[in-house]
Amino acid sequence: MISFFEFFVRFLPDLLSGMGMTLLLTAEGVLAGFILGLAATLARTYGGNFWRNLAIGYIELFRGTPLLVQVFLLYYGLPGLGITLSREWSAFLALGLNSGAYQAEYLRGSILAIGEGQMLAARAIGMSKWKAVFYIILPQALRLAIPAWANEPVSLLKATSVVFLIAVPELMTRAKLIASRTYDPISSYLAVAVLYLVLVYLVDATMKWLERRTRLPGFSAVGER
Amino acid sequence: MVNQFFSYIFQGTSVTVAVTLVALPLGLILGLLLALLYNYGGFWVSRLAAAYSLIMRGVPPIALLFILYFLLSGRLINLTPFWAGSISLGIISSAYQMEILRGALQAVGEGQMTAARAIGMSRLQAIRYIIIPQAIRLAIPPWSNEASIVLKDSSLVYAIGVPEILRRAQQLSATTQQPFLAFGAAALIYFVLVFLVNRGLDLLAEKTKLPTSMA
Amino acid sequence: MIDTPYILQAKNLTKIYGENVIFKDISLDVHKGETIVIIGPSGTGKSTLLRCLNLLTPVNSGQIFLEGEEITAHGVDHDQVRQKIGMVFQNFLLFNHLTALGNVMIGLTKVKKMPPEKAKQKALHELERVGLADRAHHYPAQLSGGQQQRVAIARALAMDPLVMLFDEPTSALDPELIGEVLGVMEQLAHEHMTMLVVTHEMGFAREVADRIIFMEKGSIVEQGSPEDLFERPQHARTREFLGKISELYGKKEKK
């Protein structure tokens, strides 16, 4: 245990140099995913046939395949069609597209929970459909989605680790370099696991804090069981 | 040419299915054990199980896979990449399955245990005949989700050299110089597999659903 | 079996949760075939007393005897004891994943290790006793509250208990469903089943009980025949309680 502790302390600076990229990918992915997810949900719920089917196709495709395959398809596959992306762009796009599909489901759940009545009431005072969506439905739905959505940053943080397989210089890639330098893969990956654990804990605590701050009394998606 | 292309990827498919079929049941058995220990194991055992779950779920699966893989194919134990990878995925999944089953066991409620004890069942009999049959039904929908996650996570064993779909796609991409087709085919196969798993478990949930309407 | 006139006997039972004394120094003798109704305000330890009597909750001190044998002694198999003491709960607690028949059968097959065919015959017979043979293949969610409670009674009866404990068996029921459950209990009393009933149904207490026990704040205040208790209560508290309860339930109870 002492030796692992020494190992951890010795290589911590190395590992930390990958942390920036991991956090950047997480933040970018959550943000891009939010925009994509919101667009997909609106298209699916309020769009015409074409847009609805497009949104469903996007969501199902990205939820139905492994993130790693999506990363490879973008990084190794797209050049086959004459489109070449950098490692970082491939990672960013794959994470954003993937997260968007999951975030769309959270949002859809809360839009469905708002119910038809709110739309009806908004239309009854003369609002157009999209006005009702933006002024009545979304302000409620976004708030309702927070508890479920709050898990997304943590799960995306963990998910970013697979992009080390296309050698994006984030935490796992650093761990792999340390492993090949020290011939001690177990200690290297244990060290990175400890770091991930700390990050996950911090992000999770932040999200819980945010959730508490934004809670409205007597307003929740589903009754507590 | 096209034929060869697909037969090659289908071989990878059978490896992917095999990895999933080892990892998922292993995760279920470990997860059930952990959930029972958590719910009925007393204070310290329960705390230990909770800590296990928290740590395992707080680390990316790929990092855990590497740690477990190097432990399972090292000097003490020396398993092939296939077995080391599959067992590692099972261990990783056990923490998530534990959470699903723990929630389901708790949702069954204390009253059912009390009623079972009242007709003279022992604690173990009550768990076996009364609690678990109800908990399993409650667990099917979230478990179906976990099953498709394990299926998708099986792609991670690519990284330790197991010749599953993704590894095959990569080799094909190199030999055919058609990377988009190769990885696209891999994605398609995963999509179909995930669809089948979800649909199959939906049917199971439908079949085991208890009637609710007043007759 | 030790020769004793009592089926169930409790001596100086005390139950304490943390700082709270639930009941203190309770002693109770139950004769074979006797129907005892326990009444009293909510939160006076009546339900806990029942749970202690069949060992679902341990007492802090005191002894319980079943047919003269001490069941609170060390080394007594609690599961064996509970087979001989039937219990009916306020919220029915049927096993949700089993049909009415399955609910009645499972104690027979799994606890008494009876062959399934024989268990089924017995279970059907018990369902018939509570008037629900035609509902044997319904799941709990498909039954009304009254029907569920009757299945719960059949489930307890199937174990051939020496004594039946009823913990407010009708207080979770809609008013129009109370009668069918009380009817079954009345019939059991006529068949000389030994019963201990916690209830607020004063009409039932008056008509069916051999003895009524009035409990308050964890102690037995007064006990006696229905006539004695209703017509000539000895304690002011008993009078007060009976007055209040007939005000509350009076209209419903009138026949």
Side-chain angles (χ1 to χ4, degrees):
Chain A
M1 209 56 213
I2 288 295
S3 70
F4 173 70
F5 184 74
E6 280 168 2
F7 187 99
F8 186 76
V9 171
R10 190 168 142 218
F11 290 104
L12 190 60
D14 264 28
L15 282 174
L16 286 178
S17 69
M19 198 172 79
M21 179 57 85
T22 291
L23 289 177
L24 182 69
L25 281 174
T26 306
E28 286 175 346
V30 168
L31 196 69
F34 178 73
I35 294 164
L36 278 169
L38 185 60
T41 305
L42 292 180
R44 181 171 184 177
T45 320
Y46 302 108
N49 251 340
F50 170 76
W51 292 106
R52 183 163 66 238
N53 288 331
L54 190 72
I56 292 174
Y58 157 63
I59 293 167
E60 294 300 319
L61 224 72
F62 278 84
R63 279 162 44 92
T65 53
L67 173 61
L68 184 56
V69 173
Q70 294 159 18
V71 171
F72 276 26
L73 197 57
L74 290 181
Y75 184 65
Y76 294 121
L78 281 186
L81 302 181
I83 307 164
T84 305
L85 298 173
S86 70
R87 302 170 196 285
E88 284 80 3
W89 267 97
S90 307
F92 161 66
L93 276 181
L95 287 165
L97 283 163
N98 185 274
S99 179
Y102 286 92
Q103 293 193 47
E105 288 300 278
Y106 299 142
L107 285 170
R108 195 167 83 96
S110 59
I111 285 180
L112 290 179
I114 302 282
E116 293 283 296
Q118 293 289 314
M119 175 59 93
L120 226 60
R123 299 303 294 273
I125 59 167
M127 281 190 184
S128 70
K129 184 165 89 177
W130 289 104
K131 272 209 169 108
V133 168
F134 282 104
Y135 294 117
I136 307 297
I137 307 288
L138 277 185
Q140 300 181 56
L142 289 178
R143 202 180 277 269
L144 273 189
I146 290 172
W149 180 85
N151 294 316
E152 185 59 16
V154 166
S155 61
L156 203 65
L157 168 64
K158 291 194 283 172
T160 56
S161 58
V162 306
V163 305
F164 102 92
L165 290 166
I166 58 169
V168 176
E170 45 69 80
L171 276 173
M172 273 299 282
T173 304
R174 301 290 171 190
K176 193 189 167 190
L177 288 175
I178 296 168
S180 58
R181 199 154 13 115
T182 59
Y183 300 108
D184 188 354
I186 294 181
S187 298
S188 311
Y189 293 115
L190 265 181
V192 83
V194 170
L195 214 55
Y196 271 115
L197 205 57
V198 172
L199 286 180
V200 161
Y201 177 79
L202 290 177
V203 173
D204 192 48
T206 312
M207 286 300 131
K208 290 229 168 77
W209 176 79
L210 232 117
E211 207 186 310
R212 267 199 310 279
R213 283 291 302 270
T214 54
R215 189 175 294 161
L216 286 185
F219 187 70
S220 70
V222 274
E224 229 88 14
R225 266 176 56 97
Chain B
M1 169 69 197
V2 172
N3 240 346
Q4 244 181 325
F5 189 93
F6 271 98
S7 85
Y8 197 62
I9 277 203
F10 273 122
Q11 284 168 24
T13 306
S14 58
V15 175
T16 290
V17 171
V19 170
T20 308
L21 285 181
V22 173
L24 202 56
L26 179 65
L28 179 63
I29 293 164
L30 290 176
L32 181 61
L33 218 69
L34 285 160
L36 290 174
L37 287 177
Y38 181 89
N39 272 19
Y40 305 109
F43 184 79
W44 287 109
V45 173
S46 164
R47 281 295 155 96
L48 230 71
Y52 172 85
S53 159
L54 215 62
I55 291 172
M56 295 296 278
R57 292 182 303 120
V59 177
I62 185 83
L64 287 174
L65 175 69
F66 274 48
I67 296 169
L68 291 167
Y69 170 69
F70 284 111
L71 283 173
L72 290 174
S73 64
R75 240 173 308 160
L76 277 173
I77 315 164
N78 197 349
L79 300 176
T80 61
F82 171 82
W83 283 106
S86 307
I87 291 172
S88 302
L89 283 180
I91 294 172
I92 294 164
S93 176
S94 72
Y96 294 89
Q97 297 199 49
M98 167 194 166
E99 289 301 315
I100 291 167
L101 296 167
R102 183 170 80 92
L105 286 173
Q106 267 160 5
V108 171
E110 269 302 297
Q112 295 286 312
M113 174 62 90
T114 309
R117 299 307 299 275
I119 58 167
M121 283 193 183
S122 68
R123 212 171 159 70
L124 275 177
Q125 280 179 321
I127 290 172
R128 177 164 166 208
Y129 298 117
I130 306 300
I131 309 289
I132 288 183
Q134 297 185 53
I136 284 177
R137 286 184 172 85
L138 293 173
I140 291 176
W143 195 80
S144 155
N145 191 38
E146 176 63 18
S148 54
I149 288 174
V150 171
L151 177 59
K152 287 186 278 178
D153 275 356
S154 75
S155 63
L156 299 179
V157 300
Y158 155 89
I160 55 174
V162 178
E164 45 66 78
I165 300 175
L166 198 54
R167 178 65 67 181
R168 295 290 175 143
Q170 195 192 34
Q171 290 160 351
L172 271 178
S173 140
T175 52
T176 60
Q177 295 297 312
Q178 294 279 9
F180 190 80
L181 232 57
F183 289 109
L188 191 70
I189 291 172
Y190 272 112
F191 185 74
V192 171
L193 288 178
V194 169
F195 177 81
L196 290 177
V197 166
N198 285 336
R199 190 41 67 89
L201 286 166
D202 277 355
L203 283 177
L204 184 69
E206 198 56 45
K207 260 188 97 162
T208 55
K209 209 175 129 207
L210 296 171
T212 48
S213 64
M214 293 265 289
Chain C
M1 197 194 301
I2 297 160
D3 193 33
T4 167
Y6 306 120
I7 288 246
L8 191 67
Q9 220 180 355
K11 285 186 182 162
N12 312 105
L13 298 184
T14 297
K15 176 69 189 173
I16 301 164
Y17 273 125
E19 303 269 290
N20 286 340
V21 179
I22 309 298
F23 52 77
K24 208 179 153 189
D25 223 15
I26 297 251
S27 293
L28 187 67
D29 301 323
V30 184
H31 292 85
K32 189 169 167 44
E34 195 180 17
T35 298
I36 298 178
V37 171
I38 305 177
I39 60 173
S42 307
T44 46
K46 295 166 298 182
S47 295
T48 311
L49 177 63
L50 288 195
R51 280 169 179 248
C52 287
L53 287 176
N54 77 344
L55 308 178
L56 279 173
T57 304
V59 285
N60 294 79
S61 64
Q63 294 168 294
I64 304 168
F65 298 86
L66 186 65
E67 287 194 310
E69 295 192 42
E70 189 186 347
I71 57 175
T72 37
H74 264 291
V76 171
D77 184 345
H78 290 191
D79 299 333
Q80 289 253 311
V81 170
R82 289 197 204 99
Q83 289 179 44
K84 298 183 206 156
I85 304 179
M87 177 108 181
V88 174
F89 300 92
Q90 180 176 348
N91 45 351
F92 331 136
L93 296 181
L94 287 187
F95 303 132
N96 300 311
H97 64 306
L98 300 174
T99 60
L101 183 65
N103 265 278
V104 183
M105 272 177 72
I106 195 156
L108 297 173
T109 53
K110 301 303 178 194
V111 179
K112 291 206 160 179
K113 313 282 182 200
M114 200 182 270
E117 209 31 58
K118 209 174 146 208
K120 191 177 170 188
Q121 289 312 316
K122 175 146 178 70
L124 279 172
H125 169 72
E126 299 299 347
L127 283 174
E128 205 152 325
R129 262 174 101 179
V130 299
L132 285 174
D134 58 328
R135 291 284 184 274
H137 297 289
H138 286 55
Y139 283 88
Q142 296 173 302
L143 297 171
S144 73
Q147 291 170 335
Q148 288 189 53
Q149 193 59 298
R150 282 148 71 198
V151 173
I153 294 172
R155 176 175 73 185
L157 286 175
M159 304 301 285
D160 290 324
L162 297 167
V163 51
M164 289 275 286
L165 311 178
F166 292 85
D167 183 8
E168 303 202 23
T170 56
S171 42
L173 293 174
D174 290 334
E176 73 270 20
L177 301 176
I178 291 176
E180 58 186 83
V181 173
L182 292 181
V184 168
M185 291 166 63
E186 197 171 335
Q187 173 202 323
L188 283 179
H190 286 296
E191 293 169 9
H192 302 293
M193 168 59 75
T194 312
M195 292 162 52
L196 217 62
V197 184
V198 171
T199 185
H200 295 294
E201 296 293 331
M202 290 305 137
F204 176 84
R206 210 172 181 142
E207 307 275 321
V208 183
D210 298 310
R211 179 157 41 124
I212 295 180
I213 293 176
F214 174 57
M215 251 179 94
E216 190 181 50
K217 291 184 184 141
S219 306
I220 293 178
V221 177
E222 182 171 356
Q223 54 180 313
S225 69
E227 295 76 43
D228 284 347
L229 221 83
F230 280 100
E231 312 301 337
R232 302 173 286 279
Q234 302 296 306
H235 290 258
R237 284 296 303 135
T238 316
R239 265 196 299 280
E240 207 176 306
F241 175 77
L242 288 171
K244 261 190 199 149
I245 202 106
S246 54
E247 229 172 77
L248 269 170
Y249 292 85
K251 274 192 185 140
K252 205 169 62 194
E253 296 297 331
K254 256 181 204 141
K255 289 209 171 176

